Amino acid sequence: MSKKAAEMTFVDHNHDHNACRGEAVERAELICAQRSVRLTDIRKRVLELVWRGHKPLGAYEILDALQKERSGAAPPTVYRALDFLLEHGLIHRIESLNAFVGCTDPETPHRAQFLICEKCGTTAELNDPRIDAAINDQAKAVGFSVLRRTIEVEGTCPHCTEASS
Ligand SMILES: [Zn+2]
Ligand SMILES: [Zn+2]
Ligand SMILES: [Zn+2]
């Protein structure tokens, strides 16, 4: 990946995150309108919470935040909203952290690969079809049928690397 692409993938720690979140919600509204599904208040609020930062957020943290705003928010409500957002590719589940992160390219169907910073928790997604194709080819070669694939890579993001050098 070129330096430029890496910079775009890993946002600076003091970037204008309100703009990111606003854009993500706008995009979600557009996608839902195109698909004639409803981005209800609760779905939208859960999406905003997942987009609280670029760090994956667990279901309990989301529920906690929501219950502070609406005392009646029950776990099934949050899980249903998360399922909806996952189904429409607006968020991804990070299996190793059992947490959720907003998708940065929800218009394009993809199986993302994730780069997770161990220091600050920032997670970026790669969307490289070559990785997917390589897994398919190799699995096929040994007669294995792929059901799920989750690629999560841990390391240090460019900002944390810079800060520690
Ligand atoms: Zn941001
Ligand atoms: Zn994505
Ligand atoms: Zn970092």
Side-chain angles (χ1 to χ4, degrees):
M1 195 189 288
S2 70
K3 177 108 203 306
K4 182 117 212 302
E7 272 168 8
M8 283 167 62
T9 306
F10 277 99
V11 287
D12 200 82
H13 285 172
N14 31 16
H15 70 291
D16 175 13
H17 185 66
N18 283 338
C20 294
R21 191 175 41 211
E23 207 182 292
V25 171
E26 256 173 52
R27 258 195 323 239
E29 278 170 341
L30 211 71
I31 288 170
C32 288
Q34 280 164 357
R35 296 178 188 169
S36 306
V37 290
R38 272 184 12 100
L39 189 66
T40 56
D41 268 5
I42 191 86
R43 289 168 176 173
K44 187 170 156 181
R45 190 65 195 125
V46 170
L47 180 67
E48 280 171 350
L49 288 168
V50 172
W51 269 99
R52 188 149 80 175
H54 295 268
K55 198 180 143 179
L57 211 61
Y60 280 106
E61 291 173 275
I62 297 166
L63 183 65
D64 235 32
L66 207 62
Q67 279 174 337
K68 280 185 189 120
E69 302 168 2
R70 330 173 175 217
S71 50
T77 315
V78 172
Y79 285 114
R80 274 199 302 270
L82 286 169
D83 280 345
F84 172 87
L85 298 171
L86 281 169
E87 189 193 325
H88 287 279
L90 299 168
I91 60 171
H92 293 291
R93 185 201 299 274
I94 304 295
E95 302 288 344
S96 62
L97 302 171
N98 192 17
F100 303 88
V101 71
C103 176
T104 48
D105 187 17
E107 280 92 353
T108 326
H110 58 273
R111 290 199 186 87
Q113 301 93 34
F114 300 96
L115 303 179
I116 305 164
C117 178
E118 280 186 329
K119 295 219 163 102
C120 68
T122 300
T123 297
E125 65 179 85
L126 297 175
N127 186 358
D128 190 334
R130 289 173 304 178
I131 298 173
D132 225 37
I135 293 172
N136 277 340
D137 289 350
Q138 296 301 314
K140 206 170 155 195
V142 297
F144 184 84
S145 48
V146 178
L147 187 62
R148 262 187 305 274
R149 70 198 84 196
T150 306
I151 301 167
E152 298 172 5
V153 183
E154 279 119 55
T156 316
C157 80
H159 309 297
C160 291
T161 304
E162 221 166 89
S164 65
S165 64

